[in-house]
Amino acid sequence: MNCLAKFNACEDGAVTIDWVMLTAGLVGFGTLVFVNFSGGIRHVDTETGNALSSIEVQEIVFDYGN
């Protein structure tokens, strides 16, 4: 019983656990944001690609007086 009380009172590694939990929370939040916005981002990507592919690029001619 004494070993269990000593283990419970020990705070070594508490900062490590805090950082692990904070990092896990940030990864979870990032995943949640990605899942929620991925459909909209894909739509914008498709529309941008369609708009750019329909643009006609004109040739630039340099006339140096020759």
Side-chain angles (χ1 to χ4, degrees):
M1 191 68 170
N2 191 19
C3 288
L4 185 58
K6 190 186 284 187
F7 176 76
N8 218 10
C10 182
E11 293 187 9
D12 291 344
V15 174
T16 303
I17 298 295
D18 291 344
W19 278 106
V20 168
M21 295 305 292
L22 179 65
T23 304
L26 288 173
V27 168
F29 181 70
T31 302
L32 182 69
V33 168
F34 175 76
V35 167
N36 283 332
F37 291 111
S38 64
I41 291 172
R42 248 185 246 124
H43 175 71
V44 169
D45 178 43
T46 303
E47 292 299 317
T48 304
N50 291 340
L52 289 175
S53 65
S54 66
I55 294 175
E56 184 177 327
V57 179
Q58 304 231 345
E59 183 179 349
I60 298 176
V61 178
F62 293 102
D63 184 14
Y64 295 108
N66 293 333

